[in-house]
Amino acid sequence: MATGFPAITGDVLSATNFNNLVAFTVTTESGATYTVDNDDLYQVLIQTSNASTKTVTIAPDSTLTSAVVGSAVTVINTGSGLLSIAAGSGVTITSAGAVSAAPTLAQHKVLQCVRVAANSWRVYGGIG
């Protein structure tokens, strides 16, 4: 997670915090499944590298306690298999993809999931 996120009352914005606002922290997930957690919010790029089909699940608000409306999760699929975005228990996902509730991402494509309401996320980007 980028240094300084999420901020709480009383935090001071340092030069380091400010400079990190423009940089992504890159994480790599190589398994067939991955569930988004609080450390994936804000300036984080989740890079998936599995050659087989894989699924990234958006966890419910009870797990993503740091997610507020406007929080974003960014994913790039570097593996050769398709990546699907799945909804955790009680979560609603919508997108312009062929399957609105379960968008897919081909190799070298990027998507962003944005929280628009409680347990409600919209997916944008290079989805199918």
Side-chain angles (χ1 to χ4, degrees), residues 1-85:
M1 177 175 6
T3 303
F5 293 103
I8 59 172
T9 302
D11 284 352
V12 175
L13 183 61
S14 69
T16 299
N17 297 134
F18 182 78
N19 291 332
N20 282 330
L21 290 174
V22 296
F24 274 93
T25 300
V26 178
T27 65
T28 301
E29 301 300 331
S30 59
T33 62
Y34 180 71
T35 300
V36 172
D37 63 30
N38 286 314
D39 289 340
D40 297 320
L41 300 171
Y42 307 103
Q43 295 293 108
V44 177
L45 175 64
I46 302 169
Q47 180 174 250
T48 63
S49 63
N50 193 310
S52 301
T53 301
K54 56 205 139 296
T55 302
V56 172
T57 300
I58 302 297
D61 290 353
S62 58
T63 299
L64 290 178
T65 55
S66 294
V68 297
V69 170
S71 293
V73 174
T74 307
V75 181
I76 183 170
N77 180 13
T78 61
S80 57
L82 280 179
L83 179 142
S84 295
I85 299 295

